[in-house]
Amino acid sequence: MVGLNSRAYALLLSVSVVALTTAPASAQTATGSSTSSAQTQVKRDRAARTAQPAAPAADPRNANAQAGSSTQSLDAITVVATKNEEKAIDALAPASAITLQQIQQFPPSRLQDVFVATPGVSFQDRGDEPSTSINIRGLQDFGRVAVVVDGARQNYQRSGHGAQGSFFLDPELIGGIDIVRGPSANIYGSGAIGGVVSFRTKDIDDVVRAGERWGVDLSGSYGSNNARGLGSVFGGVRVDPSVDVFGGAVYRTQGNYKDGAGTEIGNTGNDLAAGLMKFTVRPADGHEVKIGGIFQDFNYDVGQFNRGPSQQALYQGSSVYSTSLQNYTGTLSWKYSQPDDTWFDWSVNLYGNRTNSDQTKTYHYSTSGSGYCGAGNYGNNISGCIGDKRGYNLDTIGIDANNTSRFEYGNWRTAVTYGVDVFNDKVTTWDSRGNSNITTPGGERTVSGGFIQVKNNYAQWLEVIGAARYDHYELNSNSSTASGSRLSPKVTLGLTPIAGFTPYVAYAEGYRAPSITETLIAGAHATGGGPALFTCADGTSGLFCLIPNTALRPEVGKNKEVGINLKYNDVFISGDSFRGKINAFRNDVDNYIELLGSTPQAYRTVFMGFPVSGVASKYYQYQNIPHARIEGVEVETSYDAGMWFVGVSAAVIRGTNPDTGLGLVSVPARKVVTTGGLRLLDRQLTIAAQWASYAANTNLPTGYLPGTSYDLVNLNIAYRPTADVTLNFSIDNLLNNYYRPYAIPGSSSDGTTQNDILWTSPGPGVVYKGGIKVHFGGA
């Protein structure tokens, strides 16, 4: 390799590794500094940000070039992996950070659009519902992925034909995202055996530029397929160096979209009105107190969609609901950090979160339930009758407190972090004449934990992390209780033998307490107008009997990880940069929880005067599977040469039950994404393209249908004619492909997977969007 410097040689070696493990994939470009700073310097940097606004870039035209500059995602600061501030590229964990600039590079319509280039992250979302369900490395539902917004946990869950855990957050409210895949961030909170996703909503530094006392951003956009409109305003004022006030509002609307085949997908229109407010006070040096509130009001219809005439028979017994959903989040945080105080660097966060959904049945697809509802009305004993109401409410309150003490001895730097966290979920459901109270039972759950972590660094070439977390939970309803506790360890070792090249190994365990639904679900599943097949212990009859399981044991994830962090500047030309994170993992989950049916047995009944017989499972219960194994390889790379950028991200994952050899339905097979672009006209014009390729999961148990392989191409052009105006034009699904994102088929009354798979919806076809953003500000 004569003529290549050491950085170039290392880069070529890295690219060879990527080429062996991936096809074309996505980039999050980076142009940050080359070496990680010492903990003391990071501490000084954080204290400086706490004391005063962030410093601007030299040229204001580039300071806020949301769509027209390098995203710097891999050099962004994250705290999720270790609760110590560090760059995502330096974290000895599969951590990613998504900045506001990256979010706006391809303007998102839904939250999952933000994560396209993040390896190991996928979604099981419905086209007729604006909620989000995050899947990390094949794990989702019931809190396996911990989702927090400004430190507040999002634990909403409603049973149905789809994801068993979701949350509501519009992407226009977001200022940044931290992701850790796997239980590597077990100190962050209970339950996260799949990973952690931490959202930060917009704040004053996202709008008010340095040197300004006040600032306002106005944004608007309009799109095709079908009448996609967005308007937002965010503004703040620095009352004085110790007081900030910030707020914003968002309105988003769209009609029913058409898929790539030109078919209108029913019930996919929705409206959102949202707002946030933050008040920040710095009462003394190093102290910051922030009060925040978020309100979101969603209105949409949910039910069966894609009603082609040839498929109408599959929808018999299905229903449509008009939904009004409100989400409220309130936070109170108090942080302290001083550069010269090595004993105390702490954060306390109190929060409350409410998700309240009110639904009214508006349509029923058949008249077979007319006898149940009465003359002139339709429905059944699963969903009730047209005009009936039902609702779901989850209240979560919690606290998270931690402190870091730092010590230095010679070349050793030690950070000891310790803390506690507690949250309480209270679920209330109501249904005027349906089955919802059975499938989503009410109850209360309290989960608490404490942790200690010791992070040691020797010079610039060795890092050792050891941690332990203790978790405890208690679950109560009117009829039963359950509890449990466990100590979960974590250990990580990383070496930097040459600058920019850091291999590491890690072992971490995570602990997830059973949810209210998994533990307490009980009763007969209604017949939906069909025959009652079995009589349950309480005397009720239905298709099958749901049995509670207070002996359900918590899940324990045991994750082994091997990774390499790559960080080089000035590789081929002055000012260029390469960033890469490559890791392989195996997560063995003990006591994995699934809904299982009993051994099928014969039944005989009479329906409408005719004898009916067959074989079916009488009982269904959430039970522990002894073992589940998920393993794979993830790659996240980027190269930025200033005038152009390109990168690769990819994940190849496989999930099995090692005792049976059968696959796990929630594990996506492969995602490969490529992003590249050009910066022209003094970097004020950016042209970016993204190609995402998804493979179908064929490793499935008997009775499940795989999704389809598909490719999506997105294009975005952003131009900044002045420092305060950004024009944006984008095309989503440029090739107008028909695709149905992989999702878990739900259960159905007739047991056919054809009916089950249709509970997922095709994605939208080609979408053209144009927008403008204008900034106002003054001293």
Side-chain angles (χ1 to χ4, degrees), residues 124 159 241 257 299 341 350 366 419 464 500 524 587 596 685 760 766:
Q124 187 197 346
S159 295
Y257 64 70
N299 290 279
D341 189 344
L350 300 171
S366 72
V464 181
N587 192 2
L596 300 178
L685 173 65
T760 70
V766 62

Side-chain angles (χ1 to χ4, degrees), residues 620 702 749:
Y620 279 85
T702 303
S749 58

Side-chain angles (χ1 to χ4, degrees), residues 545-626:
C545 307
L546 295 163
I547 305 175
N549 188 357
T550 56
L552 201 61
R553 296 184 299 279
E555 296 174 338
V556 178
K558 300 177 179 179
N559 189 68
K560 285 74 65 178
E561 194 105 20
V562 178
I564 301 174
N565 294 342
L566 303 164
K567 183 173 64 174
Y568 304 107
N569 289 343
D570 303 322
V571 182
F572 296 111
I573 61 175
S574 177
D576 71 354
S577 63
F578 175 81
R579 301 290 185 267
K581 292 180 78 75
I582 305 170
N583 54 278
F585 69 91
R586 172 181 287 178
N587 192 2
D588 289 299
V589 182
D590 294 340
N591 298 320
Y592 185 78
I593 299 173
E594 272 198 336
L595 183 65
L596 300 178
S598 61
T599 302
Q601 63 186 70
Y603 64 83
R604 295 180 62 85
T605 187
V606 176
F607 181 62
M608 300 181 67
F610 295 94
V612 178
S613 62
V615 176
S617 295
K618 179 178 181 179
Y619 300 106
Y620 279 85
Q621 182 185 53
Y622 281 99
Q623 296 180 3
N624 292 110
I625 295 175

Side-chain angles (χ1 to χ4, degrees), residues 39 82 84 92 187 403-407 412-419 451-457 463-469 490-493:
Q39 292 173 355
T82 63
N84 286 260
L92 303 184
I187 66 168
N403 180 62
T404 298
S405 300
R406 294 177 171 86
F407 312 94
W412 285 98
R413 302 184 307 279
T414 301
V416 181
T417 305
Y418 41 93
F451 71 89
I452 184 170
Q453 172 188 267
V454 180
K455 182 179 178 182
N456 290 291
N457 289 83
E463 182 171 319
V464 181
I465 304 172
R469 178 179 177 86
K490 169 186 171 181
V491 61
T492 303
L493 172 65

